[in-house]
């Protein structure tokens, strides 16, 4: 009887050990993943850098002053990596939308977009300050 | 005794298994938590949008100075500089960023600059259009930052020349150099005038662009005086105007 009990205890102990190890795996696997968040931050950084690049020599401000929306769309398409969808909205300092054309490359999945806010000052002798809202998403 | 030892070893082997399993579980958990924390740290570095936005503000202040100098050098009031920077500071405060950006500025004043502006157009051989402003950027958010920086936007024109020819008809050759913040820069427009009977007469020059901010300009004019007084009026690619006067003597 005692020998038979010992065998059962061994099985229970082994079972317990397996449960402990697997629960450790299970808990580790359920830690929230940062990959998506990091990807969003990377995308925001890429978008901000693209806008900064366009604004560095006054090109962006000049295009907005002259309402050259297609030039901005083409420049952004070139600067952003392929597979990134964007939609840019330009406001004046009173937050009135001024772009009369859609500045976007393709359909944007509204649920998985990254938002970048940018401020652009035109080098024109007439001072103009613009606020840009860039929505970005990775195309499926 | 031996039997007891053997018996004890036999009995405790299962407990040892559980302890070992616990140790393995702890190792797995700690390794996973370490990897997770590392990810969180990297993510918080990546989410420093505030830090990423500071170069944008610097770029905006630079463009605001260029815009102001373009306005002032083309006849605008000097008060345009502070008005434009005030408007920029107001717009920065209204942004929907994770932090609040407060931009303060002080216009530079010294023997050259008055209210941050220096226009020197009457000197012999060179002309300067410049603005100089000190900025204090205060960022209030997850992290509070204070940043002081100064920006100077300067367009300089250097001109010198000579003429050849006898009598009243003179072939004048000028070398004009243009600089933006001390670096060679291109001109959008160059106009040359020469002095005739105490009046400035526009010349019809031939301009040779070397592509490095240096221009060789030549024109022919009927001028009775021995020295030829010229004025080179330049607008750079940023729209900033400046001019320099020079006296050309016979080569």
């Amino acid at each position: 009887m005692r020998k038979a009990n010992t065998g059962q205890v061994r099985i229970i102990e082994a079972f317990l050990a397996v449960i402990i190890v697997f629960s450790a795996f299970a808990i580790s696997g359920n830690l929230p993943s940062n990959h998506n968040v990091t990807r969003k931050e990377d995308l925001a950084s890429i978008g901000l850098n693209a806008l900064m690049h366009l604004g560095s020599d006054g090109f962006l401000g000049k295009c907005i002053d002259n309402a050259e929306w297609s030039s901005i769309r083409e420049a952004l398409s070139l600067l952003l990596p392929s597979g990134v969808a964007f939609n840019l909205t330009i406001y004046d300092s009173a937050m009135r939308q001024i772009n009369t054309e859609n500045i976007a490359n393709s359909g944007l999945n509204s649920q998985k977009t990254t938002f970048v806010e940018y401020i652009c000052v035109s080098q024109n002798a007439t001072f103009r300050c613009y606020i840009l809202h860039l929505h970005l998403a990775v195309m499926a | 005794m031996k039997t007891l030892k053997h018996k004890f070893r036999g009995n405790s082997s299962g407990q040892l298994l559980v302890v070992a399993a616990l140790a393995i579980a702890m190792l797995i958990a700690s390794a996973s938590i370490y990897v997770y924390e590392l990810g969180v740290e990297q993510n918080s570095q990546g989410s420093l949008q505030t830090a990423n936005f500071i170069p944008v503000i610097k770029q905006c202040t630079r463009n605001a100075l260029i815009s102001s100098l373009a306005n002032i050098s083309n006849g605008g009031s000097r008060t345009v500089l502070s008005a434009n920077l005030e408007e920029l500071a107001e717009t920065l405060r209204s942004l929907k960023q994770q932090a609040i950006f407060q931009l303060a500025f002080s216009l530079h004043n010294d023997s050259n600059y008055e209210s941050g502006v220096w226009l020197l157009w009457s000197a012999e051989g060179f002309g300067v259009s410049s603005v100089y402003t000190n900025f204090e950027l205060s960022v209030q958010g997850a992290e509070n930052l204070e940043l002081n920086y100064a920006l100077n936007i300067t367009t300089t024109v250097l001109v010198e020349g000579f003429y050849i020819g006898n009598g009243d008809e003179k072939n004048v050759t000028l070398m004009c150099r243009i600089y933006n913040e001390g670096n060679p820069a291109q001109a959008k427009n160059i106009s040359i005038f020469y002095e005739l009977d105490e009046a400035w007469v526009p010349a019809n020059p031939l301009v040779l662009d070397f592509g490095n901010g240096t221009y060789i300009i030549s024109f022919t004019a009927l001028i009775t005086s021995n020295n030829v007084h010229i004025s080179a009026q330049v607008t750079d690619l940023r729209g900033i105007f400046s001019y320099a006067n020079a006296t050309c003597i016979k080569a």
Side-chain angles (χ1 to χ4, degrees):
Chain A
M1 179 66 189
R2 211 174 174 188
K3 255 191 177 175
N5 278 349
T6 313
Q8 284 168 8
V9 168
R10 290 283 177 278
I11 289 164
I12 291 164
E13 283 169 344
F15 195 66
L16 200 65
V18 168
I19 286 172
I20 289 168
V21 173
F22 272 90
S23 59
F25 275 118
I27 291 165
S28 308
N30 283 328
L31 283 175
S33 168
N34 293 307
H35 290 166
N36 288 338
V37 182
T38 310
R39 192 173 288 175
K40 268 194 164 188
E41 293 295 339
D42 287 345
L43 205 56
S45 184
I46 289 167
L48 192 68
N49 284 337
L51 290 172
M52 269 197 76
H53 188 79
L54 290 178
S56 62
D57 60 350
F59 172 81
L60 187 58
K62 205 174 186 176
C63 286
I64 300 171
D65 285 343
N66 300 329
E68 293 169 4
W69 315 122
S70 57
S71 299
I72 299 171
R73 182 168 48 237
E74 281 161 24
L76 274 176
S77 298
L78 283 171
L79 282 173
L80 292 170
S82 58
V84 172
F86 67 86
N87 190 348
L88 180 70
T89 313
I90 303 168
Y91 303 92
D92 63 9
S93 51
M95 288 308 287
R96 287 182 296 250
Q97 187 176 332
I98 54 168
N99 60 305
T100 48
E101 281 177 29
N102 196 20
I103 308 171
N105 60 349
S106 62
L108 209 62
N109 182 349
S110 60
Q111 287 181 334
K112 292 177 182 175
T113 57
T114 301
F115 171 71
V116 177
E117 189 174 44
Y118 181 81
I119 183 164
C120 174
V121 172
S122 163
Q123 291 185 357
N124 194 292
T126 307
F127 181 80
R128 289 192 191 99
C129 198
Y130 303 108
I131 295 164
L132 282 71
H133 286 178
L134 179 64
H135 289 89
L136 296 158
V138 177
M139 282 190 259
Chain B
M1 184 70 184
K2 202 176 175 182
T3 323
L4 192 72
K5 215 177 194 177
H6 181 76
K7 199 177 174 184
F8 179 74
R9 200 183 283 168
N11 283 341
S12 63
S13 65
Q15 289 161 14
L16 205 68
L17 189 70
V18 174
V19 171
L22 266 171
I24 291 166
M26 280 173 75
L27 271 173
I28 292 166
S30 59
S32 303
I33 288 166
Y34 174 70
V35 170
Y36 172 73
E37 290 294 331
L38 211 65
V40 168
E41 203 173 299
Q42 280 173 353
N43 187 36
S44 67
Q45 280 172 359
S47 69
L48 280 178
Q49 267 216 332
T50 306
N52 291 344
F53 205 72
I54 289 170
V56 176
I57 294 172
K58 279 189 171 180
Q59 191 184 73
C60 286
T61 48
R62 188 176 178 278
N63 286 348
L65 292 191
I66 291 170
S67 165
S68 305
L69 185 56
N71 187 311
I72 295 163
S73 65
N74 283 289
S77 164
R78 285 176 184 239
T79 56
V80 161
L81 177 60
S82 55
N84 290 351
L85 292 174
E86 281 289 353
E87 191 179 332
L88 175 63
E90 184 64 39
T91 310
L92 278 173
R93 278 193 289 270
S94 70
L95 289 180
K96 293 168 189 165
Q97 289 287 323
Q98 291 163 346
I100 299 165
F101 296 95
Q102 299 273 3
L103 183 72
F105 61 90
S106 61
L107 307 175
H108 193 75
N109 282 299
D110 63 13
S111 55
N112 290 329
Y113 290 88
E114 188 190 330
S115 302
V117 182
W118 180 27
L119 301 176
L120 178 69
W121 293 343
S122 56
E124 177 72 16
F126 72 99
V128 178
S129 297
S130 179
V131 285
Y132 188 5
T133 309
N134 298 297
F135 293 96
E136 194 182 309
L137 179 66
S138 166
V139 185
Q140 290 154 4
E143 274 186 78
N144 292 339
L145 290 169
E146 291 281 342
L147 183 72
N148 295 308
Y149 63 98
L151 283 176
N152 185 336
I153 299 296
T154 303
T155 294
T156 310
V157 179
L158 302 179
V159 66
E160 58 186 346
F162 60 88
Y163 73 85
I164 53 171
N166 294 313
D168 290 350
E169 189 173 295
K170 295 178 172 69
N171 294 316
V172 182
T173 302
L174 306 170
M175 184 166 76
C176 183
R177 281 172 290 175
I178 299 155
Y179 297 92
N180 284 168
E181 289 82 67
N183 299 313
Q186 295 284 97
K188 194 195 302 183
N189 180 48
I190 300 177
S191 300
I192 303 294
F193 295 82
Y194 61 91
E195 197 174 19
L196 186 69
D197 300 332
E198 295 183 350
W200 289 105
V201 178
N204 188 19
L206 186 72
V207 180
L208 183 63
D209 182 359
F210 282 76
N212 59 358
T214 302
Y215 297 83
I216 297 293
I217 301 157
S218 56
F219 66 93
T220 304
L222 290 169
I223 304 162
T224 50
S225 61
N226 288 333
N227 294 336
V228 179
H229 298 286
I230 63 95
S231 179
Q233 304 194 353
V234 173
T235 304
D236 71 8
L237 288 180
R238 308 182 291 189
I240 298 167
F241 173 81
S242 184
Y243 75 83
N245 296 339
T247 303
C248 303
I249 56 169
K250 192 173 179 182

